[in-house]
Amino acid sequence: MNINEVRQAIVETLAAVNGLRPYAYVPDAIPAGDADVAMVDIDDEGIDYQQAFRGGTALLYLSVELSVPMSSERAATERMDGLLSSGTGSSRSVIDALHANRTLGGLTGGFVVRSASKPVVVGDPVGRNSRRMNATLHLTIPIGRL
């Protein structure tokens, strides 16, 4: 399995979320303005190849960092709540979008959204002095050969 294919499948899935700009990698610059952003990256746990000895499947741990602009803390919190909500059927729910495509177009037999971090306020990582609110989703994806 090509990790890039998994990243791209997640990005294609998240493209259905209203108002969200998904990226397969952390972009060089967060888009200016009013964009909600999702960035896919390998999580701290990385890849567990040892699972391959238990039935031929490795576990890929990915993170999806969500970032919303912060005109006010309340507005950013409401935007983040919409992205993190589950089971609402909302076109703004990242969780619902991911659950609707659990096989990532046939790349995996299914995956789990394990958790979401507490949203935190951060400065813009590219130094434009704007503040954003970020939260990170943690995914576990069983995959075949890498």
Side-chain angles (χ1 to χ4, degrees):
M1 164 96 30
N2 183 320
I3 295 171
N4 186 50
E5 290 176 357
V6 175
R7 287 179 190 259
Q8 291 300 328
I10 291 171
V11 166
E12 289 170 14
T13 299
L14 295 180
V17 175
N18 188 27
L20 186 68
R21 291 186 191 175
Y23 294 91
Y25 298 91
V26 177
D28 293 332
I30 301 292
D34 206 28
D36 294 344
V37 177
M39 301 161 280
V40 180
D41 204 357
I42 294 179
D43 207 351
D44 292 341
E45 296 170 84
I47 303 167
D48 183 354
Y49 293 107
Q50 291 300 316
Q51 292 294 324
F53 295 113
R54 298 183 201 123
T57 300
L59 295 177
L60 174 61
Y61 298 97
L62 290 181
S63 62
V64 177
E65 184 170 358
L66 303 173
S67 181
V68 300
M70 193 163 160
S71 56
S72 73
E73 189 157 347
R74 180 179 177 175
T77 298
E78 288 174 352
R79 288 174 86 148
M80 187 62 73
D81 286 351
L83 294 174
L84 294 175
S85 293
S86 175
T88 64
S90 168
S91 64
R92 291 276 302 147
S93 172
V94 168
I95 307 300
D96 287 355
L98 289 169
H99 286 174
N101 187 14
R102 285 203 187 247
T103 67
L104 297 175
L107 289 176
T108 183
F111 68 92
V112 175
V113 179
R114 293 189 327 269
S115 63
S117 69
K118 176 182 177 181
V120 295
V121 176
V122 298
D124 187 338
V126 294
R128 280 183 257 174
N129 295 322
S130 61
R131 295 184 331 145
R132 299 186 68 86
M133 181 175 282
N134 291 1
T136 304
L137 299 175
H138 302 279
L139 285 61
T140 301
I141 305 169
I143 54 176
R145 294 174 304 187
L146 286 171

